[in-house]
Amino acid sequence: MPFSLDKAADCYDVIVIGSGLGGLTTAKRLSYCGHKVLLLEFHHQLGGLATWFKRKGHIFDVSLHGFPYGMVKTCKKYWTKEITQSIVQLKNIVFDNPQFSLKTSFDRLDFTALLNQKFRIPQTTIDRFFATVAGMNFYDDQTMTTRELFEEFFPGRSDVHRLLMEPITYANGSTLDDPAITYGIVFSNFMNKGVFTFEGGTDKLIGLMTEDLERNGVTICTNAKVDRIIVEKGKVRGVEVGGRTITAPAVVSNSGITNTIQDLAGRDAFSTDFLAKADAIRVNNSSCQVYIGLKPEAAIEDKGDLLFTSTAPIFDSSELLDLHTRSKTFSIYYPKTRPGHDRHTIVASMNSRFDDWSTLTPEAYDTEKQALIERTLVDLNRYFPDIEEKIDWLEAATPKTFNRYTLHTRGTSFGTKFEGLAVSRSIFKEVGGLFHVGSVGIIMSGWLGAINYGVIIANDVDGYVRSL
Amino acid sequence: MTRDEIKDLILEIIKDIDEDADFDTLQSDLPLRDQLDLDSMDFLDIVMELRKRHKLQIPEADYPQLASLTSCVNYLEPLLKNI
């Protein structure tokens, strides 16, 4: 069990601020390397956006949805066997929009067949497209956009663009105008073997990770909000938290990169050149969600695990972000999600802009939130008629909700755009001992991206601490 | 360390990363990545493990030197000569 702050010592090798999947993984790797690690989380629960909450017997998963098969290898190497063994495939991914309706296992084999037979794309084009995206690296040229990539291979085919782009927009908040590599890398990860989830839910995963950290000797404190990262003479000295000073030669912030620079370390700690790069970072969009719990006795037909739905005539990145978007994903959690916990929950997710919600008056905010729930129910009724009679819990979250729980700048649920990656990776060259881990650059986001980035940063930290 | 010991060390680390790795047909001069199921994260693991076991600091710019078994041995031989 995590402690309160008074149990923490005065001095550590490394302090990790924030317990998102990136922060948790960095803490795990550094303790494995033999460092004395303190993990501080402002919330009472660990996990960051990999979170859940309980209402009326339901457990709602906020960001479980689905991740690529790469999680198996990653969890096997950096976490535990028990975590790895709980990863299971989601076989039924559904698309339903005015251009097409189909069900797929969302892997290369099935997508190749769909593109060839349903969308009539020549086999050679499909093969060339897959080879192109599979060959993409994060350090490649970024001048080509995803829109240009699609136009090159599937000119004028807005239906194909939608099939390829819509799920990735929900997975990492990227748009047609972002660098093609941010699309290609994430899409290829999914196409490897399909979409996977964590059986037992987010609470089980975070519980297992917490146990593993404790076994490795990491001190974990919750309800511990760091006020400031102390920087002296260009180097990190520790943190101020709950009226205490705790020292360490290295501090890893799993707070947002913008929060880390502006709020935690403070602008004074950085050079003008570095601040210019930091100020140019665009945070990604936020999300809206509607959480729907079904009565204990209610059963619904299996209509698929992830439903990418839209009534908009064509795919348009800005339509997906609109306050009144007609596009949303339904993550359907059948009882199989949590064996033994015999309930159905449905989470509707939409991408959303913070400013659209933060500028509303309190009355208008409540009205819009209610309208969001109503629209979601209308859409859900198309797949599950009479669903309203089966519901016993309804609740919505907006970008303001995401901001409140994660403290992320403008409630971003997908970190930053591409330029955030270079700033995040180089921050320790600017302030000795200061590191950042978290969703940056679109690629290092999602559950798999966050965990892998945690490993990459742990390597930087270990190298730094051992060189002192 | 001798060249053979360094080779064994690398193979041992890879075995820890992927217990199913098959070394029977492994050719020393060809890229490890093409012959085993290794990705860029695995190479990072090798770097971290070398630092943990032998206090070796391998700068990121030198990661390409770890591409094949032979290049690994060539690169690490002077660094591990006193161990």
Side-chain angles (χ1 to χ4, degrees), chain A residues 73 77-78 459 462-463, chain B residues 42 45 51-52 57 60 63:
Chain A
K73 186 173 176 184
K77 287 200 299 178
Y78 309 124
N459 177 53
D462 182 53
Chain B
D42 297 319
D45 296 345
R51 193 190 299 122
K52 190 178 177 198
Q57 293 274 16
E60 204 165 324
Y63 290 2

Side-chain angles (χ1 to χ4, degrees), chain A residues 73-126:
Chain A
K73 186 173 176 184
T74 282
C75 288
K76 190 173 159 194
K77 287 200 299 178
Y78 309 124
W79 288 99
T80 67
K81 203 173 189 177
E82 200 180 353
I83 289 174
T84 311
Q85 285 168 346
S86 296
I87 296 171
V88 294
Q89 190 173 9
L90 293 175
K91 295 195 177 88
N92 295 317
I93 312 303
V94 172
F95 288 78
D96 184 37
N97 60 60
Q99 288 175 294
F100 54 88
S101 294
L102 56 87
K103 191 178 266 193
T104 170
S105 50
F106 209 74
D107 52 46
R108 181 169 174 168
L109 206 64
D110 198 39
F111 251 52
T112 300
L114 275 171
L115 284 167
N116 188 241
Q117 287 152 30
K118 192 174 167 78
F119 292 86
R120 299 282 162 207
I121 303 293
Q123 188 65 42
T124 50
T125 307
I126 300 169

